Every structure is written in structure tokens, then in C-alpha cells.
């Protein structure tokens, strides 16, 4: 486990990597968060500011670590090699830009894979990076942490969804009436993400039948979560904000806003009428593979994953119809950075007097 209270110095790294990492007394003011997901490897380096933080460096690469995992229960050699290449690039960035603290996590693919821990041990040996596998609950908590600033005073509850590569996380959140920290009161992790759904040979989301089958399957899972927490009843009472953080919802927002190319500052925090998002979904479905590859908000690397994500979104809309959707282009990395910086400001904990 990476110690979030100490500057990042790799454990037994190769000599060429070790030479570049700063020691504690030379570390700069920046913090780093690394997220190895089922589909992507992402690094965010940021410096604290009065109102949050300022991004000073970033890295993102599609690695498809979970490719074939649903059938084999193991990470494939080619997938691990792709992820290792991306993680070496992250380690090199951290060599060039010293940080005060690093938090590095792995999610669903490494949680599920029989060889997940062995792969992470390989990464430590090759790069010095030590990634810890986080639980689905912590994943939901970190997403909540990053999206909390988007809540507004009139919100009583929030329903936050994150459509990932290997799973979909749903967080049911209580918002204190007087501006306190939001509280996670329920969560569910569905083993249905854009990669696992895209690999199904019997359900092609590019066909109407396959798309509708996925929507029905996901909706069945969500209905059970709804029965436990009575979310639909709360939505009808008012004061519930639907929030989405994933490539699926940011793509829907970009299409709904008719952006000539995707621009994060225009999308992050944007509240859409759900009808506009639904129309954007219809537009994406009508494009087909070639049209999606050419679309400036999609591109060839994400063609296979957009419609499976849209099917999950459509299921969420079916079970929990709301008039508006708040789009968040933020997630685990931002949540980790927020936690680290808050801990830094709080300082070391004092031992209780005996």
C-alpha cells in the first residue's frame, strides 16, 4: 500500500527510475493520484489552491487491462503488457516532477482477476509504483468526494453513477441540510461495465435488440437496489440530484451541446435536461461504428465502448427518471487528491493524553 502521508519514493525500483525521484526534503508542493482501471490508466498531478487544486500534469491512456477477463478470470499477457507500458510512462513523469504524496489504486479488473495481485507485484518490481486494490465501496466514496462540490443547497439526496470499464458503481448519498460533508448511505457495484459488455458475443449493442437486452438486464439489477433504498419514492418527493461521472455521460453531454470537439471546462458541472441527453443517445446509436469513429467527441479508440455505456445509462433513466442530469468530468483521481490535500492541511494527529 502506498503511504499517503509520505513523499513518493519507489521501493526497490530500477536504478534509472530511482535516480530521478526526489527525497522528502526536495519534494515540491504537488500531489499525484494514479488510477489503473479496467479500460484506462490515468495519472493526475495537482497543486493545492485556496479553492481546491490546480492541475499541473496529467496522463491518460486506454490500456484495456480487463480484455478477456470475463471469460478467463485472469488478466491476459497482452493486456498486462499494455498497462505496464502506461505505468512506466507514469513513473517517468513522477521522476521528472517530484510530488509530496502519491496515492495509486487499481479497481475492478485487478479486484476480479486471479492474477491481479501478481500483476501489481510485477509493476512494483519494474517501476517502483505500489498500487493497492480498492474496494467497490471506496471507489464509490472517492467518486462522491470528487463530485461533492457540484451539489447545491436545495439538494436533499444525490444519486451518483460511474459507468466504468469492468463495473458500474451506484452511490446513494445523503446531503446534510446545513452544508456538512455528504454521507454515503448506500452503494451497489454491478459487474457490468463498458469493456465487459462490449466483449459479449451474444449481445451486440449496435443492434436494437442487443441494446434493449442490456438495458433490461441492468435495469433488473438497479430495481433491487431501488427496492432497498426507495430511491424512486425520494425522487418523486423532490430534492434528488442525478449525477454521472464517466466517459459515457461526458460524451452524451458533448453531443447534446453540439461541441465541435470535446472540451472539459464546458462539460464538467454542466446540468442537462435529461430529454436532451436521451436525444443525444439516439443520435449516437444512429451513427453506427464508422460514424462514432469519426465523431469528435468519440473517436476510433472508444467506438466499441460508447453504446454499451449508453445502454447502462438508459437503464438508470428507466429505473430513476429525473428531469435533469449533472455531468461530472471528474472521478477517482480528483477524489484521491482532495483527500490527500485535506489530510495535509489537518496535519498529524495528536496522541490522546493518558
Amino acid at each position: 500500500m502506498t503511504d499517503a502521508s509520505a513523499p513518493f519514493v519507489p521501493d526497490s525500483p530500477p536504478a534509472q527510475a530511482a535516480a530521478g525521484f526526489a527525497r522528502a526534503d526536495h519534494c515540491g508542493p504537488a500531489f499525484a493520484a494514479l488510477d489503473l482501471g479496467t479500460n484506462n490508466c490515468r495519472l493526475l498531478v495537482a497543486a493545492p489552491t485556496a479553492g481546491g487544486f490546480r492541475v499541473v500534469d496529467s496522463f491518460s491512456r486506454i490500456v484495456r487491462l480487463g480484455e478477456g477477463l470475463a471469460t478467463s478470470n485472469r488478466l491476459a499477457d497482452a493486456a498486462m503488457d499494455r498497462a505496464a507500458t502506461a505505468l512506466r510512462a507514469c513513473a517517468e513523469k513522477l521522476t521528472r516532477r517530484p510530488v509530496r504524496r502519491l496515492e495509486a489504486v487499481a479497481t475492478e479488473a485487478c479486484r476480479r482477476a486471479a492474477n491481479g495481485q501478481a500483476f501489481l507485484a510485477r509493476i512494483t518490481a519494474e517501476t517502483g509504483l505500489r498500487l493497492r486494490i480498492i474496494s467497490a465501496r471506496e471507489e464509490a466514496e472517492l467518486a462522491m468526494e470528487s463530485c461533492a462540490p457540484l451539489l447545491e443547497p436545495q439538494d436533499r439526496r444525490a444519486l451518483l453513477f460511474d459507468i466504468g470499464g469492468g463495473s458500474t458503481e451506484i452511490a446513494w448519498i445523503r446531503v446534510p441540510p446545513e452544508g456538512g460533508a455528504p454521507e454515503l448511505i448506500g452503494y451497489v457495484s454491478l459487474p457490468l461495465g463498458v469493456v465487459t459488455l462490449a466483449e459479449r458475443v451474444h449481445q451486440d449493442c449496435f443492434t436494437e435488440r442487443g441494446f434493449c437486452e442490456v438495458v433490461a438486464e441492468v435495469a433488473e439489477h438497479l430495481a433491487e437496489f431501488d427496492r432497498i433504498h426507495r430511491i424512486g419514492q425520494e425522487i418523486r418527493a423532490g430534492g434528488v440530484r442525478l449525477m454521472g461521472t464517466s466517459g459515457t455521460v461526458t460524451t452524451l453531454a458533448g453531443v447534446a451541446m453540439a461541441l465541435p470537439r470535446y472540451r472539459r471546462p464546458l462539460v464538467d458541472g454542466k446540468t442537462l435536461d435529461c430529454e436532451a441527453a436521451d436525444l443525444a443517445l439516439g443520435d449516437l446509436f444512429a451513427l453506427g461504428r464508422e460514424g462514432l469513429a469519426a465523431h469528435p467527441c468519440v473517436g476510433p479508440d472508444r467506438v466499441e465502448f460508447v453504446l454499451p455505456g449508453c445502454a447502462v445509462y438508459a437503464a438508470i433513466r428507466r429505473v430513476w427518471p429525473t428531469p435533469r442530469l449533472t455531468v461530472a468530468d471528474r472521478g477517482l483521481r480528483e477524489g484521491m487528491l482532495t483527500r490527500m490535500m485535506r489530510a495535509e492541511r489537518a496535519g498529524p494527529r495528536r496522541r490522546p493524553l493518558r
Side-chain angles (χ1 to χ4, degrees):
M1 175 190 288
T2 300
D3 182 358
S5 66
F8 175 53
V9 180
D11 296 311
S12 304
Q16 63 269 27
F21 283 98
R23 298 292 177 183
D25 54 348
H26 296 297
C27 285
F31 296 73
L34 175 61
D35 167 23
L36 178 63
T38 302
N39 199 39
N40 295 280
C41 175
R42 297 186 177 104
L43 171 71
L44 200 62
V45 182
T49 63
F53 56 79
R54 173 179 57 87
V55 174
V56 297
D57 203 356
S58 64
F59 174 89
S60 180
R61 183 174 296 174
I62 294 176
V63 296
R64 305 194 311 280
L65 179 60
E67 186 176 56
L69 176 62
T71 55
S72 69
N73 199 38
R74 296 181 62 82
L75 302 176
D77 289 343
M80 289 189 289
D81 288 344
R82 287 192 299 266
T85 298
L87 289 166
R88 280 193 291 272
C90 292
E92 289 169 5
K93 275 185 173 288
L94 292 168
T95 298
R96 297 191 298 269
R97 186 185 294 277
V99 296
R100 289 184 65 81
R101 301 181 184 181
L102 166 70
E103 181 74 10
V105 304
T107 57
E108 181 68 9
C110 290
R111 276 200 298 264
R112 291 179 57 190
N115 58 342
Q117 289 284 7
F119 169 64
L120 296 185
R122 167 192 165 183
I123 294 301
T124 301
E126 291 182 2
T127 70
L129 293 169
R130 302 186 68 188
L131 285 80
R132 65 183 179 93
I133 300 174
I134 61 173
S135 66
R137 181 183 180 91
E138 184 172 357
E139 198 170 344
E141 289 172 340
L142 287 168
M144 177 182 70
E145 184 98 48
S146 68
C147 293
L150 301 179
L151 296 169
E152 296 184 0
Q154 68 270 24
D155 297 330
R156 294 186 307 107
R157 299 281 190 275
L159 182 64
L160 173 63
F161 63 91
D162 181 359
I163 305 170
S167 63
T168 294
E169 319 300 328
I170 308 288
W172 180 229
I173 300 164
R174 177 185 292 118
V175 184
E178 297 181 357
E183 176 190 357
L184 182 67
I185 54 178
Y187 77 98
V188 65
S189 178
L190 308 182
L192 301 168
V194 298
V195 174
T196 50
L197 291 172
E199 289 184 348
R200 290 184 173 182
V201 295
H202 66 284
Q203 277 180 333
D204 183 357
C205 283
F206 286 87
T207 68
E208 185 174 350
R209 177 178 177 177
F211 188 93
C212 291
E213 286 177 351
V214 172
V215 173
E217 178 185 1
V218 177
E220 185 176 350
H221 285 280
L222 298 179
E224 177 61 28
F225 188 65
D226 181 77
R227 282 191 287 272
I228 295 170
H229 295 283
R230 300 183 180 275
I231 297 170
Q233 181 176 313
E234 293 279 5
I235 289 173
R236 289 188 291 274
V240 176
R241 180 174 296 273
L242 180 66
M243 307 172 73
T245 169
S246 67
T248 297
V249 292
T250 56
T251 298
L252 286 171
V255 174
M257 297 165 67
L259 298 180
R261 60 185 178 85
Y262 184 79
R263 293 183 60 192
R264 182 184 185 276
L266 297 179
V267 172
D268 183 45
K270 174 74 173 178
T271 297
L272 296 174
D273 288 336
C274 281
E275 288 185 1
D278 295 345
L279 289 173
L281 188 159
D283 292 341
L284 288 170
F285 186 86
L287 286 174
R289 283 184 171 85
E290 291 186 6
L292 290 172
H295 197 284
C297 292
V298 181
D301 290 339
R302 298 180 57 236
V303 166
E304 299 299 326
F305 308 128
V306 170
L307 293 185
C310 285
V312 176
Y313 166 77
I316 292 168
R317 286 277 294 128
R318 175 183 292 184
V319 177
W320 298 305
T322 62
R324 286 174 296 279
L325 166 67
T326 297
V327 180
D329 190 348
R330 56 182 75 190
L332 299 190
R333 296 171 303 159
E334 290 83 359
M336 289 188 282
L337 288 168
T338 299
R339 280 187 177 181
M340 284 187 282
M341 292 176 187
R342 185 170 61 240
E344 176 86 358
R345 288 192 297 269
R349 296 179 62 182
R350 295 182 178 180
R351 294 182 180 179
L353 295 175
R354 293 184 181 273

